[in-house]
Amino acid sequence: KIFDYLSVITLAFMSYGIVRQWFRIYKTKSVQDIEPQEVAIRWTATMILLVKLILVKDPYLIAGQIILAGAISLYAITLFLIKIKK
């Protein structure tokens, strides 16, 4: 049971790092040193893993992965919107 909680906490911490990057992008409106392809690969991998976890039916990992997927989606959308505007 402890590893269930640790899994959610770990994914939440990973999300925190992504949200911090998002705040930096949002605040500075600068995405010059960020590779959109890398963000797209990270987003795709996260979504594939989310589908796998849903199929496995592990509620703790699903919850953590949803948090991570939300953070990465927010980051990717912001990145692409800023890239389009420039």
Side-chain angles (χ1 to χ4, degrees), residues 43-83:
W43 184 85
T44 302
T46 299
M47 294 305 156
I48 290 169
L49 186 55
L50 177 59
V51 170
K52 171 64 176 170
L53 294 175
I54 290 170
L55 294 174
V56 171
K57 299 179 182 174
D58 184 327
Y60 295 98
L61 288 176
I62 292 169
Q65 194 68 14
I66 287 172
I67 293 168
L68 182 61
I72 289 176
S73 295
L74 179 66
Y75 180 71
I77 290 167
T78 303
L79 169 73
F80 291 117
L81 288 175
I82 291 173
K83 284 268 189 195

Side-chain angles (χ1 to χ4, degrees), residues 1-13 58-61 64:
K1 195 89 173 157
I2 187 72
F3 284 104
D4 293 336
Y5 296 118
L6 287 174
S7 297
V8 174
I9 291 169
T10 300
L11 289 164
F13 279 132
D58 184 327
Y60 295 98
L61 288 176

Side-chain angles (χ1 to χ4, degrees), residues 13-28:
F13 279 132
M14 290 171 63
S15 299
Y16 174 73
I18 292 168
V19 169
R20 285 190 62 208
Q21 289 177 346
W22 175 81
F23 273 119
R24 192 174 323 121
I25 289 172
Y26 185 77
K27 183 178 175 182
T28 64

